[in-house]
């Protein structure tokens, strides 16, 4: 539990230029507090203590202004920035490293209880302030949704969706589809070719790192000894991307 808290705080400091230190995040960030309370609420919900789960979620809403149904599945290092007015529905699934700004709704469009009614956000998605994502479709990894967009259809990985109804303005630009967070979702140095090339290389290396990790895990699980492979430092693409911004 404490390692979760530490990595949540670290990821908020990395993503919010206004965050000064861990204590400030712990005491003054409603998004952090809402996620922490959601973990308790969700644990109660899945172990059958439905009312307690609902009640913790209700208390979290009073304290933070953020409403997360205890049934919703929230990944690691999810950052709800500012957060007031965020609503996340029962069958929503929010992947690791997603960022959600104030006034966002991850809502349903059907009343069929017991079915998946709310969206799935894959890893690294950024949802701009006031956006509504409505329905049981998927927003692909590292996609961005513009502020005040109303999204009613799937968004491909790496794409940017804006407007009402939302349409795709940029599709699978390399820096978008990779492990890059940019504050407020805007493309850093969007017009600078050198910066674009460097982001491309860093993100490509980060993806290769991930692939190697998956391959090593697969080899280990199939009983192939990997002890002879030398350990090497993991590429910190977030920091490197910041350096070339
Ligand atoms: C959508 C977003 C991620 C795009 O950022 P970007 O990659 O830098 O893209 P650009 O600014 O180059 O915009 C691309 C196109 O989308 C349009 N656009 C950008 N944001 C839009 C929005 N919210 N609604 C409608 N259109 C939008 C631009 O006008 C541009 O259109 P054009 O190509 O016809 O000129 C960003 O504008 C956004 O809305 N981020 C969320 C910010 C937020 O919520 N901040 C709250 C902080 S408290």
């Amino acid at each position: 539990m404490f390692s979760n808290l530490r990595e949540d705080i670290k990821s908020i400091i990395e993503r919010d230029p206004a965050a000064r230190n861990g204590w400030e995040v712990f005491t003054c960030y409603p998004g952090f507090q809402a996620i922490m309370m959601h973990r308790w609420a969700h644990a109660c919900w899945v172990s059958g203590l439905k009312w307690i789960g609902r009640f913790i979620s209700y208390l979290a809403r009073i304290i933070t202004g953020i409403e997360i149904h205890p049934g919703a599945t929230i990944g690691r290092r999810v950052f709800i920035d500012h957060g007031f007015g965020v609503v996340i529905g029962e069958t929503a699934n929010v992947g690791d490293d997603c960022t959600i700004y104030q006034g966002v709704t991850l809502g349903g469009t059907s009343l069929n209880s017991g079915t998946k009614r709310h969206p799935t956000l894959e890893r690294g998605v950024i949802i701009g302030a006031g956006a509504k994502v409505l329905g049981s479709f998927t927003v692909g990894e590292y996609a961005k949704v513009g502020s005040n967009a109303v999204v009613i259809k799937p968004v491909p990985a790496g794409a940017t969706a804006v407007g009402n109804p939302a349409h795709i303005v940029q599709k699978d630009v390399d820096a978008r589809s990779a492990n890059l967070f940019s504050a407020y979702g805007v493309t850093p140095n969007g017009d600078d070719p050198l910066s674009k090339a460097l982001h491309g290389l860093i993100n490509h290396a980060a993806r290769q790192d991930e692939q190697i990790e998956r391959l090593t895990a697969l080899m280990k699980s199939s009983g192939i000894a990997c002890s002879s492979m030398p350990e090497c430092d993991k590429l910190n693409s977030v920091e490197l991307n910041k350096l070339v911004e």
Side-chain angles (χ1 to χ4, degrees):
M1 185 179 103
F2 289 110
S3 66
N4 271 349
L5 291 186
R6 268 197 296 271
E7 78 171 2
D8 283 345
I9 290 174
K10 187 167 170 274
S11 80
I12 290 174
I13 292 173
E14 275 168 9
R15 278 183 265 174
D16 181 5
R20 292 183 312 137
N21 54 54
W23 177 244
E24 191 170 282
V25 171
F26 188 79
T27 51
C28 306
Y29 272 62
F32 168 78
Q33 292 157 353
I35 297 277
M36 201 168 62
M37 291 180 80
H38 172 74
R39 292 214 180 100
W40 301 331
H42 187 66
C44 293
W45 184 264
V46 294
S47 55
L49 303 169
K50 305 270 183 203
W51 181 85
I52 298 180
R54 270 320 279 259
F55 192 66
I56 295 172
S57 145
Y58 171 69
L59 289 180
R61 194 185 73 149
I62 293 174
I63 297 167
T64 66
I66 296 166
E67 180 174 330
I68 309 177
H69 191 285
T73 307
I74 310 285
R76 291 167 60 180
R77 301 173 301 275
V78 169
F79 177 29
I80 301 178
D81 196 1
H82 308 293
F84 205 83
V86 165
V87 176
I88 299 180
E90 178 182 1
T91 60
N93 201 316
V94 179
D96 295 345
D97 302 303
C98 287
T99 306
I100 295 171
Y101 290 98
Q102 69 272 18
V104 165
T105 300
L106 304 183
T109 49
S110 118
L111 296 176
N112 292 336
S113 106
T115 60
K116 170 120 174 92
R117 310 186 304 283
H118 304 93
T120 292
L121 311 185
E122 289 184 343
R123 169 191 286 259
V125 166
I126 299 175
I127 311 281
K132 316 291 171 226
V133 185
L134 308 172
S136 64
F137 51 83
T138 296
V139 179
E141 60 177 14
Y142 300 107
K144 294 171 187 172
V145 172
S147 51
N148 288 327
V150 179
V151 184
I152 49 174
K153 287 184 190 151
V155 179
T160 300
V162 300
N164 177 8
H167 59 282
I168 306 299
V169 282
Q170 262 149 330
K171 219 175 177 180
D172 208 18
V173 177
D174 196 45
R176 289 155 194 271
S177 59
N179 185 10
L180 164 66
F181 172 77
S182 58
Y184 313 126
V186 293
T187 311
N189 287 332
D191 303 327
D192 176 3
L194 186 62
S195 160
K196 274 187 178 171
L198 285 170
H199 282 307
L201 285 169
I202 294 164
N203 294 325
H204 184 73
R207 275 202 301 273
Q208 282 191 332
D209 250 18
E210 277 176 21
Q211 272 173 340
I212 292 169
E213 245 174 51
R214 280 189 209 132
L215 278 172
T216 318
L218 255 175
M219 284 162 71
K220 274 187 188 153
S221 66
S222 333
I224 302 170
C226 309
S227 50
S228 56
M229 281 172 67
E231 288 282 328
C232 67
D233 290 342
K234 201 164 182 261
L235 181 102
N236 188 339
S237 58
V238 175
E239 285 305 316
L240 287 174
N241 273 312
K242 271 190 199 160
L243 282 179
V244 296
E245 267 168 29

